[in-house]
Amino acid sequence: MEKVRIGIIGCGGIANGKHLPAIKRNGNFEIVAFCDLIKERAEKAKKEYGTESSKVFTDYKELLAEKDITAVYVLTPNKSHASISIDAMEADKHVMCEKPMAKTYTDAKKMVETAKKTGKILTIGYQNRYRADSTYLKRACTNDDLGEIYYARAHAVRRRAVPTWGVFLNEEEQGGGPLIDIGTHALDLTLWMMNNYEVESVTGSVYRKLADQKEQGNAFGEWDPSVFTVEDSAFGFVKMKNGATIHLEASWALNTLDVDEAKVSLCGTKAGADMKDGLRINRVQYNKQCVEKPDLASGGVAFFDGKSEKDSDIEQKVFYNAITKGEELVVKPEQALVVTQVLEAIYEAGRTGKTVYFD
Ligand SMILES: NC(=O)c1ccc[n+]([C@@H]2O[C@H](COP(=O)([O-])OP(=O)(O)OC[C@H]3O[C@@H](n4cnc5c(N)ncnc54)[C@H](O)[C@@H]3O)[C@@H](O)[C@H]2O)c1
């Protein structure tokens, strides 16, 4: 198979935790350049995932000037997603950009416009769509098994798991806290399942209530309250033009036992579904309330080794097939744009106390 020549921009957590191992497993990409502001990170990534001839840069514009690069991965903090992605498309590269698409709706819109203008592929790293439970539920939704979905909950709630590395607590770099960081995954899944991107209005509340506490019990070690300039939880209420409602809950730290991340609960006229104990589809059947739990792990084969394809592997495959065969993207930029718009509206509603109406 023809190898696609790519460049990696940002060689930190998500590069090493998701993309680089998945690109290696895929085998159809050749990473010809690595870029990070911290040169050692780019060099380390080259050593582990590159070839002898892979180049190392600290300025992404130099990487983009390389004519033989077909696509780039934008794996930097949120602040630079839009500028780097736009420059990359203008430089004739396809783009896989990490979530969230951008800090603001205006920036995200420019990304979509640039993709249209240049004809380049632009996709966003919402890998949760490729999970076995998500793809099963998406098929059920597409098949109308749930009927009209008129109420949904998008879950992104951690009890105490504030990220303490990188710039996650920095408003200027990230554009927000848990809402833009993990709320984005939950809302993306929800809108995709509902196949509904027509938003009427958004209201919400945004809190910074636990960020200054000294006794933190945090899963990722102590955070520094003095640099915690984002919210620690946010809640949104979204009304769709067809009358459906979505409740979005996002938190890195909340006094609750009801934790769920990158999950969705759907209530339709024919059935409901949630991901609270594996994927569960609930309905009334033969006049009894019943719950269906698809076996997504083994396929019922006793000797199965459990090595099913990872979500991050499917993400790479979809990107590769879009580039080389013109196959349809799963995560379309226009969809990620609506996610960005809703998140921004929740922040605005939190600030002003007013409902935000969409056109
Ligand atoms: N899909 C997911 O589930 C998921 C999970 C974690 C993070 N992310 C996203 O990935 C992005 C990066 O997060 P991370 O955890 O890897 O952060 P990180 O801080 O670990 O890594 C970011 C890297 O980018 C580098 N960098 C910053 N600006 C740069 C620039 N202009 N040019 C080149 N390099 C630059 C930094 O030096 C750093 O090494 C964020 O947008 C985050 O939301 C997505």
Side-chain angles (χ1 to χ4, degrees), residues 9-15 18 35-38 41 58 60 75-78 80-81 84 98-100 125 127-128 165-168 174 181 185:
I9 303 172
C11 301
I14 197 63
K18 182 176 82 165
C35 172
D36 198 291
L37 291 180
I38 302 169
R41 292 193 182 169
T58 51
Y60 78 87
L75 314 178
T76 57
N78 303 352
S80 52
H81 287 183
I84 299 178
E98 254 313 323
K99 52 66 31 180
Q127 77 278 357
N128 290 295
W165 65 94
V167 292
F168 284 91
Q174 293 290 95
D181 180 42
H185 274 304

Side-chain angles (χ1 to χ4, degrees), residues 8 12-27 31 48-49 75 310 312-313 316:
I8 303 291
I14 197 63
N16 288 284
K18 182 176 82 165
H19 293 282
L20 292 170
I23 288 166
K24 190 174 179 176
R25 286 193 296 273
N26 181 287
I31 311 177
E48 287 174 35
Y49 297 100
L75 314 178
K310 286 178 193 277
S312 55
D313 292 328
Q316 301 305 331

Side-chain angles (χ1 to χ4, degrees), residues 90-152:
E90 301 276 11
D92 203 27
K93 321 289 186 208
H94 301 299
V95 173
M96 158 79 74
C97 175
E98 254 313 323
K99 52 66 31 180
M101 187 174 199
K103 259 176 66 173
T104 65
Y105 174 61
T106 308
D107 280 353
K109 217 162 122 191
K110 277 188 212 147
M111 291 166 77
V112 172
E113 283 161 9
T114 309
K116 275 197 190 123
K117 186 182 78 183
T118 58
K120 303 313 288 181
I121 293 164
L122 169 65
T123 190
I124 308 299
Y126 286 126
Q127 77 278 357
N128 290 295
R129 289 202 194 182
Y130 306 108
R131 292 187 335 230
D133 56 346
S134 306
T135 47
Y136 186 102
L137 183 55
K138 176 65 180 171
R139 282 188 69 175
C141 292
T142 305
N143 199 40
D144 198 36
D145 293 359
L146 273 58
E148 180 197 339
I149 301 165
Y150 58 93
Y151 177 58

